[in-house]
Amino acid sequence: MSIFHETGSLHAKAMAQGPLDLWNHWSIQILVLFSLALQVFLFVFARIRQRGTNPLLRILLWLAYMLADSTAIYALGHLSLSRSSKGLDQEQLVAFWAPFLLLHLGGPDSITAYALQDNQLWLRHLQILVVQVLGAGYVLYKRIADNGFFVMLASILMLAVGFVKYVERTWALQRGNMDTIRSSLKNEPHVKHHQFHALDQGFREGAANEEELYVRRAHSMFHVCKRAIVDSWIEKDSENHGGEMLRDIRNEDYKGMWTLMEVELSLLYDILYTKAAVIHTWPGYGIRVVSPLATVASFLLFHFSVKDSHGRVDVAITYTLLSGAFLLEMASLLIALGSCWTYAFLCTTRWSWLRYTALCTGRWDQLRQLVKKFTRRQVGGQARRWSGEMGQYNMLHFCSRHDTVFSPLVGRLAKLWGQNELWNRKHYSGSIQITDELRLWLHRYIERFSRRNKVNTQGMLRTNWGAEALQHYGCFDDFKGYLGVELQEGIIIWHIGTDVFLARSSRSKAYDAAQEQVVKSIRTLSNYMMFLLVERPDMLPGLAQTRLYQQTCQNLVDMWRKSEPSSRSGPTKNFRTMLKELFRIRDDPNTSRLSERDKLAITLYNEKPRYSTDVPRLCYANWVTEALLKREEEKGSVSVLELVLRVWMDFLFYTANRCSRESHAKKLSSGGELTTILWLMADYFHKHTVLNAPEEV
């Protein structure tokens, strides 16, 4: 009996030690394959963040980015410190994997920095580069020097490729640094932009589609965008043809201008977050041509030196690493040659024969189309466009929520973990697609603004938020006390006042189709500005007003609970509805509980809270409502709706204009923001006005 008991104990112990034994015997194999898998994942999905797609995919991408370097560094350290128990031949074969880990540290071309701060840490990456190269060299020196000439030569080839690719990544991080961009612009010759613009005019008929034309035009004006993001001015004397190019852009219709700005920002994304700045140079193209050839040579050298003593698993892993490296490097070469950046490179090269052979004969266009079909990627196509999504958040919607036993399960878990504020921001926000009507109104507003000398020589607005709109309609004195001391205070006051006014006005008047479109745009802009305040405070200039926002929310919640005592338990619901609420992830302000929001707005208007230190913003919001209703009686609904729409466009334009350039650059890594497009558009209009202004006598 004791024998059976002892046998069972040993079996259980062996089972318990199984995973540990697996790791002890196969840790290096697991690490190198995992490192390769991470590289493939980053290569395929790196571009998803440019359009701000599914949050789950973004989290996975972030994890892959963080794990890619950590895994390769840990595996290299493991190789340099541990010794295999499988025999000398297998130990030497495992050492051959060290250069591949160095190659993985170089990363794919589609992602170098995940956040803008990564570019600022390029010196740290340079230090890590030196350490890891020395580590890989040490592993090869200790374990593979006596393994035969072929394997040693293959190792040296892959070590050289890995070293160059890692240097290239560090170089890309350094080139993506804002200070580096600013310094490079001082020495950048302006003439090449004019050459590109002239060539662009000649290739219009040969472009594949209209989108391709906008990509090429964006390249011809990209130096303006780079100067804007680092706040570097275009000298009028040195930019003789700059005014002409800007005038061509200004003559675009609003859709063309929006497209051009979106493509410009996508090119800026490439410079800041990918290897584009170093790929499309002579060294960059040379690396992409040599890397696949060196990988093939290493593959053949290894193939002819494989010994029977090598384990089958290790040989298979080596072939997998070589094949994976070749496929990734070959895809990198094809994508680089078919990129719109290659077109810009060819247009500005001093080798006229190369420009004629590639562009004038149409061969490059044919190659680009083949690459698109082969890779199934629209390089420079719709993927370069902004998603068109505007965030939405409504204070009255949030404050009129029901606290019931059937509140979302995730929300209750977040509250237990102390993340209630994060849950409220995410759960009660939503998104909406910007309409063509709103694009047109914003385009016209910014264009007229730049023509009327409303900005100074630095491109900064001369007036505060909302002031220009109120002055235009001759009612600045009626509202100047309700714009707030800080921008965020003004957003809170006008956001609540707008909702109360629309709720009160819609009860007494029936809007026609055109007015309903204006009302929709007003709500969209109001909710968007509140979304920036709650979810994107770094995109707003001025002092943060978090305490003021929280206090105002609490005042509204208290008012709602006082007027609706049954709101805490909520209305009676059937089981299906309660189950739906239990697992609800989003409570979008544009699609749910609209009647409750309007009911809270009417309650606020009827109660007319008096001014006090506890509820001053609700008082100001009510005064805004009363002033708008009074003006509606005098001027009519159309005039007041246009006034409110213009005020919100003024808020938005001020936000875009005064937001820091660094905040605009940071947001490009997560899909971009409407304010960034408006900022760049306004900058183009302003530069056009200055460069085409008549000379003073």
Side-chain angles (χ1 to χ4, degrees), residues 161-314:
V161 172
F163 171 73
V164 171
K165 295 286 286 186
Y166 201 179
V167 169
E168 185 184 53
R169 180 189 180 186
T170 306
W171 185 22
L173 290 170
Q174 190 262 348
R175 290 287 300 272
N177 189 15
M178 302 284 273
D179 292 335
T180 305
I181 296 175
R182 186 181 295 106
S183 300
S184 66
L185 288 172
K186 297 178 181 179
N187 303 320
E188 186 174 277
H190 298 289
V191 66
K192 71 178 186 179
H193 305 303
H194 313 325
Q195 292 175 349
F196 182 91
H197 188 63
L199 285 168
D200 177 58
Q201 299 290 337
F203 287 115
R204 286 176 178 270
E205 295 181 359
N209 50 47
E210 185 179 1
E211 190 76 21
E212 188 76 10
L213 281 175
Y214 280 112
V215 171
R216 297 182 181 186
R217 294 192 65 191
H219 272 287
S220 70
M221 295 299 300
F222 185 53
H223 62 294
V224 181
C225 179
K226 285 199 296 183
R227 289 182 180 275
I229 198 63
V230 296
D231 198 23
S232 176
W233 181 245
I234 298 179
E235 296 294 338
K236 190 170 183 178
D237 294 336
S238 63
E239 220 26 60
N240 296 325
H241 301 284
E244 179 183 351
M245 289 187 287
L246 287 167
R247 183 166 54 252
D248 291 342
I249 290 176
R250 186 159 192 163
N251 292 333
E252 289 281 355
D253 62 355
Y254 80 96
K255 289 185 178 180
M257 189 65 178
W258 277 84
T259 300
L260 192 63
M261 295 301 99
E262 291 172 9
V263 177
E264 288 274 19
L265 290 175
S266 75
L267 297 179
L268 184 61
Y269 169 90
D270 289 347
I271 292 293
L272 296 175
Y273 298 103
T274 74
K275 293 183 182 178
V278 298
I279 291 175
H280 304 284
T281 59
W282 284 116
Y285 289 120
I287 291 171
R288 262 135 207 86
V289 172
V290 172
S291 294
L293 297 177
T295 306
V296 170
S298 297
F299 185 96
L300 295 175
L301 289 170
F302 173 76
H303 179 72
F304 291 122
S305 63
V306 174
K307 301 177 182 179
D308 295 335
S309 57
H310 290 153
R312 288 187 177 182
V313 175
D314 289 345

Side-chain angles (χ1 to χ4, degrees), residues 41-50 61 108 110-111 269:
F41 182 86
L42 289 173
F43 177 82
V44 174
F45 294 104
R47 283 282 181 180
I48 64 171
R49 64 198 184 120
Q50 191 174 356
L61 181 65
S110 52
I111 181 171
Y269 169 90

